[in-house]
Amino acid sequence: MTQPAPTITVETPLSDDMGAMIGELNTLLLTLSPPEACYHMTPEDMAGDATTVFVARVGGKAAACGALHRHDGGVAEVKRMYTRPAYQGHGIGSRILDEIVRLAECEGYSSIVLETGDQHPAAWRIYERAGFTRCGPVLDYPDSPYSVFYSRPLAASQETHQ
Protein backbone atom coordinates (compact mmCIF):
# COMPACT_ATOMS: atom_id res chain seq x y z
CA MET A 1 0.00 0.00 0.00
CA THR A 2 1.42 3.39 -0.99
CA GLN A 3 1.30 6.44 1.19
CA PRO A 4 -0.71 9.45 0.01
CA ALA A 5 1.37 12.25 -1.52
CA PRO A 6 2.64 14.73 1.06
CA THR A 7 1.32 18.28 1.19
CA ILE A 8 3.75 20.98 2.29
CA THR A 9 2.41 24.16 3.85
CA VAL A 10 3.54 26.96 6.13
CA GLU A 11 2.26 26.27 9.65
CA THR A 12 2.68 27.46 13.19
CA PRO A 13 5.20 25.48 15.21
CA LEU A 14 2.95 25.87 18.25
CA SER A 15 0.49 23.08 17.42
CA ASP A 16 0.51 19.90 19.51
CA ASP A 17 1.68 17.67 16.65
CA MET A 18 4.48 20.09 15.72
CA GLY A 19 5.56 20.23 19.36
CA ALA A 20 5.70 16.43 19.40
CA MET A 21 7.71 16.29 16.17
CA ILE A 22 10.17 18.94 17.38
CA GLY A 23 10.51 16.98 20.63
CA GLU A 24 11.38 13.85 18.61
CA LEU A 25 13.99 15.82 16.68
CA ASN A 26 15.56 17.17 19.87
CA THR A 27 15.69 13.70 21.42
CA LEU A 28 17.33 12.28 18.29
CA LEU A 29 19.91 15.07 18.10
CA LEU A 30 20.91 14.55 21.73
CA THR A 31 21.71 10.89 20.94
CA LEU A 32 24.11 12.02 18.20
CA SER A 33 25.81 15.10 19.67
CA PRO A 34 26.56 16.45 23.14
CA PRO A 35 24.08 19.06 24.42
CA GLU A 36 26.54 21.93 23.92
CA ALA A 37 26.70 21.06 20.20
CA CYS A 38 22.90 21.07 19.71
CA TYR A 39 21.49 24.40 18.59
CA HIS A 40 17.79 23.83 19.07
CA MET A 41 15.11 26.40 18.39
CA THR A 42 12.06 25.87 20.56
CA PRO A 43 8.60 26.00 19.00
CA GLU A 44 8.24 29.42 20.65
CA ASP A 45 11.50 30.60 19.04
CA MET A 46 10.28 29.30 15.69
CA ALA A 47 6.98 31.19 16.02
CA GLY A 48 8.69 34.58 15.73
CA ASP A 49 8.53 36.80 12.65
CA ALA A 50 12.09 35.88 11.62
CA THR A 51 11.16 32.24 11.00
CA THR A 52 8.85 30.48 8.55
CA VAL A 53 8.09 26.83 9.30
CA PHE A 54 7.21 24.35 6.56
CA VAL A 55 5.40 21.15 7.49
CA ALA A 56 4.86 18.11 5.28
CA ARG A 57 1.76 16.13 6.08
CA VAL A 58 0.88 12.69 4.79
CA GLY A 59 -2.73 11.74 5.28
CA GLY A 60 -3.06 14.66 7.71
CA LYS A 61 -0.19 13.48 9.94
CA ALA A 62 2.88 15.67 10.41
CA ALA A 63 5.65 13.77 8.60
CA ALA A 64 8.49 16.27 8.29
CA CYS A 65 9.44 19.87 8.92
CA GLY A 66 12.03 22.50 8.17
CA ALA A 67 12.32 26.23 8.65
CA LEU A 68 13.74 29.36 7.09
CA HIS A 69 15.32 31.65 9.68
CA ARG A 70 16.18 35.16 8.54
CA HIS A 71 19.36 37.02 9.54
CA ASP A 72 20.69 40.48 8.76
CA GLY A 73 23.21 40.97 5.98
CA GLY A 74 21.33 39.07 3.27
CA VAL A 75 21.84 35.67 4.92
CA ALA A 76 19.09 33.10 5.44
CA GLU A 77 19.47 29.92 7.46
CA VAL A 78 17.95 26.44 7.20
CA LYS A 79 16.78 25.25 10.62
CA ARG A 80 14.96 22.31 12.21
CA MET A 81 15.02 19.92 9.25
CA TYR A 82 13.52 16.59 10.28
CA THR A 83 11.66 13.73 8.65
CA ARG A 84 10.04 11.15 10.89
CA PRO A 85 11.53 7.66 10.31
CA ALA A 86 8.35 6.20 8.77
CA TYR A 87 8.53 8.84 6.01
CA GLN A 88 12.25 8.85 5.27
CA GLY A 89 13.49 7.86 1.84
CA HIS A 90 10.58 9.39 -0.07
CA GLY A 91 12.13 12.77 -0.93
CA ILE A 92 10.03 14.74 1.55
CA GLY A 93 13.05 16.41 3.18
CA SER A 94 14.33 17.49 -0.23
CA ARG A 95 10.94 18.97 -1.07
CA ILE A 96 10.88 20.97 2.17
CA LEU A 97 14.44 22.19 1.53
CA ASP A 98 13.37 23.30 -1.96
CA GLU A 99 10.54 25.36 -0.41
CA ILE A 100 12.94 26.97 2.08
CA VAL A 101 15.42 27.89 -0.66
CA ARG A 102 12.63 29.19 -2.92
CA LEU A 103 11.28 31.46 -0.18
CA ALA A 104 14.76 32.80 0.67
CA GLU A 105 15.32 33.59 -3.03
CA CYS A 106 11.91 35.26 -3.37
CA GLU A 107 12.65 37.41 -0.33
CA GLY A 108 15.93 38.57 -1.86
CA TYR A 109 18.49 36.79 0.29
CA SER A 110 21.93 36.46 -1.30
CA SER A 111 22.99 33.28 0.50
CA ILE A 112 21.61 30.49 2.64
CA VAL A 113 23.59 28.60 5.27
CA LEU A 114 23.11 25.81 7.78
CA GLU A 115 24.74 23.90 10.59
CA THR A 116 24.21 20.16 10.92
CA GLY A 117 25.83 17.43 12.94
CA ASP A 118 28.85 15.31 12.18
CA GLN A 119 26.72 12.14 12.44
CA HIS A 120 24.12 13.03 9.79
CA PRO A 121 25.25 11.61 6.41
CA ALA A 122 21.68 11.36 5.09
CA ALA A 123 21.23 15.09 5.71
CA TRP A 124 24.55 15.86 4.02
CA ARG A 125 23.35 14.07 0.87
CA ILE A 126 20.14 16.12 0.78
CA TYR A 127 22.03 19.40 1.19
CA GLU A 128 24.72 18.52 -1.33
CA ARG A 129 22.14 17.42 -3.95
CA ALA A 130 20.46 20.81 -3.43
CA GLY A 131 23.66 22.67 -4.31
CA PHE A 132 25.02 23.37 -0.83
CA THR A 133 28.77 23.08 -0.30
CA ARG A 134 30.68 22.56 2.92
CA CYS A 135 32.26 25.62 4.42
CA GLY A 136 33.70 26.91 7.69
CA PRO A 137 31.57 28.05 10.61
CA VAL A 138 28.64 30.29 9.68
CA LEU A 139 26.83 33.06 11.54
CA ASP A 140 27.70 32.89 15.25
CA TYR A 141 28.17 29.11 15.48
CA PRO A 142 31.45 28.04 17.10
CA ASP A 143 33.91 25.87 15.22
CA SER A 144 33.19 22.42 16.63
CA PRO A 145 34.16 18.85 15.74
CA TYR A 146 30.45 17.98 16.12
CA SER A 147 29.29 20.46 13.47
CA VAL A 148 29.30 20.44 9.68
CA PHE A 149 28.53 23.73 7.94
CA TYR A 150 27.06 24.35 4.51
CA SER A 151 26.36 27.39 2.36
CA ARG A 152 24.82 28.13 -0.99
CA PRO A 153 24.59 31.37 -2.96
CA LEU A 154 21.09 32.39 -3.98
CA ALA A 155 19.74 34.12 -7.05
CA ALA A 156 17.88 36.85 -5.16
CA SER A 157 14.77 37.86 -7.05
CA GLN A 158 13.31 40.79 -5.11
CA GLU A 159 14.36 43.14 -2.33
CA THR A 160 17.83 42.98 -0.83
CA HIS A 161 18.14 42.54 2.93
CA GLN A 162 20.65 44.66 4.81
Side-chain angles (χ1 to χ4, degrees):
M1 174 190 252
T2 34
Q3 295 178 346
T7 58
I8 299 173
T9 57
V10 172
E11 294 187 21
T12 178
L14 300 176
S15 67
D16 289 342
D17 57 350
M18 273 301 298
M21 189 160 54
I22 293 166
E24 289 172 26
L25 170 59
N26 292 345
T27 298
L28 172 65
L29 293 177
L30 288 169
T31 68
L32 299 170
S33 300
E36 66 273 12
C38 292
Y39 306 103
H40 302 166
M41 287 181 80
T42 66
E44 292 76 20
D45 294 335
M46 295 166 66
D49 291 340
T51 307
T52 299
V53 178
F54 292 90
V55 179
R57 292 187 177 274
V58 176
K61 181 170 173 51
C65 63
L68 169 70
H69 187 70
R70 297 161 183 88
H71 294 272
D72 293 334
V75 179
E77 181 182 10
V78 176
K79 291 291 288 182
R80 309 302 359 230
M81 290 288 294
Y82 177 62
T83 302
R84 285 181 155 151
Y87 302 100
Q88 292 175 1
H90 300 285
I92 298 172
S94 292
R95 288 187 52 204
I96 288 176
L97 183 61
D98 290 345
E99 291 294 325
I100 293 168
V101 169
R102 181 198 55 75
L103 180 58
E105 286 179 332
C106 286
E107 290 185 2
Y109 286 89
S110 58
S111 67
I112 190 164
V113 299
L114 64 93
E115 181 275 341
T116 190
D118 69 327
Q119 301 294 314
H120 303 259
W124 306 339
R125 285 189 293 277
I126 290 170
Y127 300 135
E128 291 167 6
R129 279 192 304 248
F132 285 78
T133 56
R134 286 193 184 201
C135 61
V138 297
L139 302 169
D140 59 354
Y141 290 100
D143 194 1
S144 165
Y146 302 105
S147 292
V148 176
F149 301 98
Y150 283 93
S151 66
R152 175 183 158 176
L154 296 176
S157 63
Q158 288 183 1
E159 64 187 83
T160 301
H161 291 265
Q162 303 297 334

